[in-house]
Amino acid sequence: MTVDATSYYEHIGYFTDNIIQGVYPLWNSTWFDGAPYNFFLRRIGEVNPFYWIAGGLKLLKVPDLYAYIAFLASYYFLAVAGFWLITKLLFRDRLASSAAFLLLLFSGWGSQIFYNYIVILFVPVVWFFYFLLSFAREGKRHQFFGMFFVMSLVVTTYIPFFVATVIGLAMILFPVFFWKETLGFISRTFSFIR
């Protein structure tokens, strides 16, 4: 692991070590002889329930590095599975969805998890678009709440504007290319709200 991934490993490790012991860490005594920990909590998005993957493995006495790598790999695989569902919704072809799944799974994007924080934002973005597209098609409550759940994961990090930019750009471009579908989506959304 290099660059930002090292500090994320340290901060997520410190957070999960404390949570396992029943302590919500607001102070880090090992960081420059003691420092407030709020910034780092915001940086990692402390309300993310998937950190319990690393925490659970640590409870099973798995070494910290392996627990963290298992968390990253499973979290990335969750994004790839969400991408497969998105392509399944869009293409309606199992072969094309499986090809897209394999392309993303074995792409260079997966190596980014050992380089920086992007996987922490990538997973919620993928699942937001899955829930948005499935809500646009079916309009079910669990899809609507799914969008809010994944956005809560994004908003608790310190860089939600990256995600807001991606989602805003999609919201601008979608009506340009899919005008009829956009009008149908807006009418279904108003009837859902009613």
Side-chain angles (χ1 to χ4, degrees), residues 13-192:
Y14 183 78
F15 174 72
T16 54
D17 286 343
N18 280 278
I19 290 296
I20 288 170
Q21 297 172 8
V23 175
Y24 188 81
L26 295 175
W27 182 265
N28 188 344
S29 59
T30 62
W31 187 263
F32 291 108
D33 295 325
Y37 201 62
N38 293 342
F39 171 75
F40 301 112
L41 291 174
R42 297 299 168 267
R43 190 175 187 204
I44 66 173
E46 77 276 14
V47 298
N48 193 333
F50 295 101
Y51 290 138
W52 280 104
I53 295 170
L57 290 172
K58 286 181 179 187
L59 283 172
L60 296 173
K61 304 296 185 209
V62 173
D64 288 354
L65 181 62
Y66 296 138
Y68 181 70
I69 290 174
F71 154 71
L72 283 179
S74 58
Y75 204 51
Y76 178 70
F77 189 75
L78 186 64
V80 175
F83 186 74
W84 179 75
L85 291 171
I86 290 172
T87 57
K88 194 173 162 189
L89 279 173
L90 294 176
F91 299 133
R92 297 181 185 176
D93 181 21
R94 192 177 187 96
L95 183 62
S97 300
S98 299
F101 170 85
L102 291 173
L103 284 172
L104 180 60
L105 183 64
F106 296 109
S107 71
W109 189 252
S111 66
Q112 291 297 309
I113 66 176
F114 303 111
Y115 181 69
N116 63 25
Y117 57 86
I118 200 69
V119 73
I120 293 173
L121 295 175
F122 181 60
V123 175
V125 168
V126 167
W127 281 95
F128 174 81
F129 281 111
Y130 167 70
F131 286 125
L132 177 66
L133 290 172
S134 59
F135 178 74
R137 185 163 289 169
E138 300 171 10
K140 304 252 172 105
R141 257 187 224 171
H142 71 277
Q143 297 156 342
F144 185 73
F145 288 123
M147 285 189 291
F148 281 98
F149 171 71
V150 294
M151 286 311 294
S152 72
L153 297 181
V154 170
V155 171
T156 58
T157 65
Y158 81 115
I159 41 177
F161 298 110
F162 166 77
V163 176
T165 303
V166 171
I167 292 171
L169 185 62
M171 296 299 173
I172 291 169
L173 291 177
F174 193 79
V176 171
F177 295 107
F178 304 103
W179 180 249
K180 290 180 184 177
E181 290 86 352
T182 302
L183 291 176
F185 172 68
I186 291 170
S187 68
R188 282 191 301 274
T189 302
F190 281 129
S191 65
F192 175 81

